[in-house]
Amino acid sequence: MAFSKLLLFFFIFLGGVVNTSLARFQASQWSNAHATSYGDDSGSDTLNGACGYGSLFNGYGTDTAALSSVLFQDGYSCGQCYQIRCTGSPACYAGSPIETVTATNLCPPNWALDSNNGGWCNPPRTHFDMSKPAFNKIAQIRAGIVPVMYRRVPCTRYGGMRFALQGNMYWLLVYVLNVGGAGDVCDMSVKGSNTNWIRMSHNWGVSFQAFSVLGGQSLSFQITSYTTKQTITARNVAPTYWSIGLTYGTDTNFS
């Protein structure tokens, strides 16, 4: 037992990860929804969105979707992964192929249109507005809207989470990118090498903020998944000479 505790100490000291929960995200059951598409054939019109990921060519590509507000959950669903397949429409491709997308945007309500005639993302509708390239993998674009089945699935990410830093010397704004497992984040804390843990507040989408002076200190982060409530710690992510506008990576990720 003493030897195990000693190994754990050195693992933490060297910048390792501590899981405060053994929870792992599992795929959900299939449910019914509808899907449309937006943007152009290249997907370039969908490369930014309400989640704040910036240019998706640097991460999630065009396999993305905007969620109706029922699914979006005030941005806490950003980064979640869904499998979607077209069902029950002549526009569906043979074999009902499955497309996996990442939630990167909000499909807002349009109360000027009836929920069954153009207001596809009006509550309480469960709806996916997919990038055009993603939609074209499950159905013919000319269909406009198709019935689909969907389910949440674990997000397979290569490498660890990345932290994009914005703000100024008194305000740190952090965008959390490339999140594995459930893909989502609901809580975050930051620790400078000369501070205790500081609870960050949710700004919007995948960004969290701290109103603290943290310049000249290495930065560590604690991240909690919205779905599983699992918390992991990534230590010494950014060095003492970190700079606003840069993105720092780590080997740490959810599974």
Side-chain angles (χ1 to χ4, degrees):
M1 180 65 72
F3 180 69
S4 297
K5 289 182 177 179
L6 183 62
L7 284 178
L8 178 61
F9 170 79
F10 280 111
F11 181 65
I12 296 172
F13 179 77
L14 293 174
V17 183
V18 178
N19 290 348
T20 60
S21 168
L22 297 178
R24 288 175 178 265
F25 180 69
Q26 304 293 325
S28 66
Q29 299 296 313
W30 290 96
S31 300
N32 296 311
H34 285 82
T36 50
S37 68
Y38 75 114
D40 60 14
D41 290 334
S42 71
S44 60
D45 290 343
T46 63
L47 293 183
N48 294 283
C51 289
Y53 289 115
S55 176
L56 299 179
F57 280 145
N58 295 326
Y60 303 123
T62 57
D63 292 325
T64 61
L67 308 183
S68 62
S69 55
V70 170
L71 292 171
F72 193 68
Q73 301 180 90
D74 294 324
Y76 288 110
S77 293
C78 289
Q80 292 178 355
C81 296
Y82 295 84
Q83 286 184 340
I84 303 174
R85 58 188 179 93
C86 180
T87 60
S89 170
C92 298
Y93 291 138
S96 190
I98 294 173
E99 164 70 344
T100 302
V101 298
T102 298
T104 59
N105 204 353
L106 167 68
C107 181
N110 184 351
W111 298 113
L113 298 176
D114 185 89
S115 297
N116 296 310
N117 188 21
W120 308 125
C121 291
N122 295 347
R125 292 184 65 98
T126 302
H127 192 88
F128 296 88
D129 200 17
M130 304 171 68
S131 73
K132 199 170 182 179
F135 185 93
N136 198 37
K137 293 179 181 179
I138 64 168
Q140 300 172 38
I141 291 294
R142 61 176 176 79
I145 181 170
V146 293
V148 298
M149 297 195 72
Y150 76 96
R151 66 173 181 171
R152 288 273 310 278
V153 293
C155 296
T156 301
R157 305 297 185 208
Y158 297 100
M161 286 182 285
R162 297 191 294 271
F163 302 86
L165 308 186
Q166 298 292 336
N168 55 48
M169 63 181 298
Y170 303 105
W171 170 56
L172 179 65
L173 182 67
V174 181
Y175 292 83
V176 191
L177 315 173
N178 202 51
V179 181
D184 49 29
V185 177
C186 71
D187 199 14
M188 190 170 172
S189 296
V190 60
K191 183 184 185 304
S193 48
N194 298 324
T195 73
N196 295 319
W197 284 105
I198 300 168
R199 178 84 175 271
M200 305 180 77
S201 60
H202 185 220
N203 184 282
W204 62 284
V206 294
S207 65
F208 290 79
Q209 60 191 358
F211 294 91
S212 302
V213 178
L214 294 166
Q217 303 178 59
S218 61
L219 302 180
S220 301
F221 297 103
Q222 280 187 342
I223 310 95
T224 300
S225 166
Y226 178 74
T227 299
T228 67
K229 308 309 177 189
Q230 181 185 14
T231 298
I232 56 180
T233 301
R235 297 186 182 274
N236 301 317
V237 174
T240 56
Y241 49 87
W242 62 267
S243 180
I244 294 297
L246 296 182
T247 299
Y248 297 90
T250 175
D251 293 332
T252 305
N253 218 330
F254 294 102
S255 59

